[in-house]
Amino acid sequence: MGRRRHSVDEENVELNLAPIMNMVMILIPLLLLSSVFIKAGVINISSPRNAQAAQADPEERPEEVPVPKVVVYIGQDGFRISDQRNLPEFAPFMQPIARCGGGGGAAAGAPGANIAAHDLQGIPPTICLRQGVDAGADLLAKLDFGALYNRLAEIRLQPQWFDRFGEENNAVISILGDVEVPFEVLVATMDAARYMLQPEGTELPAPSASSNIQSYMLGGGNPTPEDLGRAQYIKVDHAAVPLFPDPVLLLPRPSAGG
């Protein structure tokens, strides 16, 4: 007896996506709540200019008061401040501050001039490491950024340079560090050099060539990290007053051994 073939009816099955869509709608808010958003800051850094191309013909260049081209060298033992133009008037500002065994200001005796930026590690630090900090702390905690700001403000407010420093091409400061200096130290150094600050509780006006320099010093000339942290920007029309707003990062020169 022959087998009877049963015909199988094919059913058209439609996928029910509603449960999946409901699950996705539930997961989206959960993922957003668990996300971590990072706010990235940007620091404008000028690249070094071609010195040869920037020089004008001596006959066409007007007589101008020369201004220092300030260099801050970051070492493992502190900051060293120098001038790329080696102006004799700048030499006192290379002296160590009073806390580090120097005279503490422009009245100090001048060290030897003609020191190249990459050779600054051969002289005593202008601003030595902070006192009372554990030797095992990282470099960011040991460097005295408040004293660095005070010395740069002292340079910027000198009457013979004040107006010229206000010109765009003279607002540059060069930052140079050892090859082992962490990136966050470079950023903190640029932050300390960019804008004028006023001590907490004061309402200082924008400085001028006739301003009393001492009134703009944090901590009475011997600042603590708290003095720097609580200081406020000096603002004119809601804009911060520049100190040295155009930082240039210099690459460290390789050592002779490799």
Side-chain angles (χ1 to χ4, degrees):
M1 192 174 169
R3 294 181 178 180
R4 182 180 298 176
R5 295 182 178 179
H6 297 279
S7 60
V8 179
D9 295 334
E10 295 182 358
E11 297 182 0
N12 294 326
V13 180
E14 295 183 357
L15 294 178
N16 185 7
L17 299 179
I20 298 177
M21 295 178 65
N22 292 336
M23 182 63 67
V24 171
M25 295 301 295
I26 295 174
L27 288 177
I28 288 177
L30 293 177
L31 292 174
L32 290 176
L33 291 174
S34 62
S35 299
V36 177
F37 296 95
I38 299 175
K39 184 178 180 180
V42 177
I43 298 177
N44 293 325
I45 301 177
S46 302
S47 59
R49 296 173 175 81
N50 188 324
Q52 184 176 4
Q55 290 180 347
D57 190 323
E59 295 181 359
E60 299 177 359
R61 191 165 52 224
E63 289 291 334
E64 294 179 336
V65 177
V67 295
K69 296 184 69 175
V70 182
V71 179
V72 175
Y73 181 92
I74 310 168
Q76 298 297 324
D77 55 353
F79 297 106
R80 290 165 174 81
I81 297 177
S82 182
D83 168 31
Q84 290 183 351
R85 289 180 171 150
N86 291 311
L87 298 179
E89 299 85 357
F90 189 87
F93 298 101
M94 297 170 59
Q95 280 280 23
I97 61 175
R99 179 177 62 80
C100 303
N114 299 319
I115 299 176
H118 288 87
D119 297 328
L120 288 174
Q121 64 268 35
I123 66 173
T126 308
I127 301 165
C128 55
L129 299 179
R130 292 174 49 214
Q131 296 175 335
V133 180
D134 185 80
D138 55 32
L139 186 60
L140 185 66
K142 293 191 288 187
L143 289 171
D144 194 342
F145 292 98
L148 172 65
Y149 168 81
N150 276 358
R151 178 52 60 95
L152 294 178
E154 186 181 12
I155 295 168
R156 176 66 177 82
L157 295 177
Q158 291 300 308
Q160 69 269 31
W161 301 324
F162 183 86
D163 291 333
R164 292 294 316 285
F165 269 138
E167 299 173 5
E168 181 179 1
N169 292 334
N170 294 329
V172 175
I173 186 169
S174 298
I175 310 294
L176 174 65
D178 288 342
V179 293
E180 298 179 355
V181 169
F183 178 74
E184 58 265 26
V185 171
L186 295 174
V187 174
T189 303
M190 289 187 287
D191 286 343
R194 298 183 69 204
Y195 298 110
M196 292 293 303
L197 301 174
Q198 58 185 351
E200 182 185 24
T202 62
E203 292 292 339
L204 295 175
S208 65
S210 59
S211 295
N212 180 5
I213 296 177
Q214 290 303 316
S215 63
Y216 289 85
M217 298 290 101
L218 301 180
N222 188 22
T224 64
E226 290 74 22
D227 291 327
L228 179 62
R230 291 193 293 259
Q232 301 294 321
Y233 290 128
I234 301 176
K235 293 185 177 181
V236 175
D237 296 331
H238 306 288
V241 175
L243 180 58
F244 291 100
D246 298 329
V248 173
L249 291 179
L250 300 181
L251 296 177
R253 186 171 59 188
S255 61

